[in-house]
Structures are given as C-alpha cells and as structure tokens.
Amino acid sequence: MIIEKELNISAKNFYDKIIDSVVFDIRKATGKDVKRSQLKNFEYIKEFSKINRAKILIEDVVPNQVYQFRTATTKNDFTVRYEIEALGENRCKIHYEETMKSYGFLQQMNDAVIGIPMSFFKKRNFKKMMEMIEKSV
C-alpha cells in the first residue's frame, strides 16, 4: 500500500511527531528511555495481548526525511516506510509505503481475502491520522 499526502506542516515538525511517538512506544514496551540517536537498528518486543506479540526493528532513520521499521510476527512481516519531502517552510509531502509478507499458504490466502477491503479503511485512517498530526502543531 502506498499513500502520498501533502500537509501544511514543516518536514521537521512531522518527523518530530513520528519520532516522539516511536520513543514513547519503546518506553511503554520496554521501560527504556532511548535517545533519537540510538533508534537506528534498535530492536524490541511489543506485546499486544498475552498471546500476541511482535518483534520491531527500526531499520532506517534520517532526521526530517525518513523513518522505516519492520514488525515481525509468527504469521507476517510488515515493513513501513515514511519518506518526508520538505516543500517549503510549513509544507511537506509524505510518501508512506507499507508492505507485508505472509508466512504459509493459508495465511497468504487469508491476508489476500481480508487485505482488499481492509486497505480502504487503512488508507482512510492513515489520512485521518495525518490530518490530526497536521492540526496538532
């Protein structure tokens, strides 16, 4: 899934919001305070419930330009990448890309059937999230 959206917010402000959220998520999942300079290649386990957890690896961090992470479970491997392009002092363009690899034939079929209708809702929710970030600055 690929989404591009222009926002009335600086690239730095958008990046700061994303990274602040990442640092908060790491603290909540691990109890560790991680500095921004330590994020690249940082890996941690996040528990969603007693039986659902995932390994998260932050793969790429370029201040005000790129944030990429991978989430691995026993069923899937998700990669999410944000590319941020400054368009001016208070404007930026966000290129969001999400890819998923499923393990096993049944999981692949399940994800294919569910993925098509879900992508509509994911895109809509992503755009709402972008608008909330834009308004929060």
Side-chain angles (χ1 to χ4, degrees):
M1 176 173 72
I2 295 174
I3 301 172
E4 289 191 343
K5 181 146 178 71
E6 289 187 16
L7 300 174
N8 293 315
I9 182 175
S10 72
K12 181 187 180 327
N13 283 339
F14 180 82
Y15 177 83
D16 286 345
K17 289 286 184 185
I18 295 295
I19 297 303
D20 287 348
S21 175
V22 171
V23 170
F24 178 80
D25 191 54
I26 291 170
R27 185 179 317 118
K28 187 175 177 186
T30 68
K32 296 179 183 178
D33 285 321
V34 177
K35 293 180 170 63
R36 290 174 175 226
S37 60
Q38 299 171 307
L39 288 176
K40 188 166 184 172
N41 297 318
F42 189 85
E43 185 175 270
Y44 65 103
I45 303 294
K46 181 173 180 175
E47 290 192 27
F48 298 100
S49 67
K50 287 185 179 183
I51 59 171
N52 290 321
R53 64 185 195 181
K55 179 171 67 172
I56 298 173
L57 171 63
I58 300 170
E59 297 181 320
D60 199 4
V61 180
V62 179
N64 307 327
Q65 296 176 14
V66 175
Y67 172 64
Q68 178 174 314
F69 67 95
R70 179 180 306 273
T71 303
T73 69
T74 56
K75 297 178 182 181
N76 308 94
D77 192 339
F78 296 91
T79 300
V80 172
R81 182 174 181 87
Y82 290 87
E83 293 179 3
I84 309 161
E85 177 186 352
L87 299 176
E89 189 175 319
N90 289 310
R91 289 193 49 75
C92 66
K93 182 177 183 179
I94 309 304
H95 176 89
Y96 173 88
E97 188 167 347
E98 181 180 292
T99 57
M100 180 177 67
K101 179 181 176 184
S102 301
Y103 302 119
F105 178 75
L106 289 177
Q107 187 64 45
Q108 289 174 358
M109 296 308 294
N110 182 53
D111 291 342
V113 169
I114 302 253
I116 294 169
M118 289 302 291
S119 68
F120 168 78
F121 294 107
K122 287 175 85 171
K123 285 182 181 181
R124 187 177 71 182
N125 288 341
F126 177 81
K127 289 178 181 178
K128 284 183 182 178
M129 182 181 78
M130 294 296 103
E131 290 169 5
M132 288 173 61
I133 289 172
E134 182 180 50
K135 290 177 183 175
S136 72
V137 175

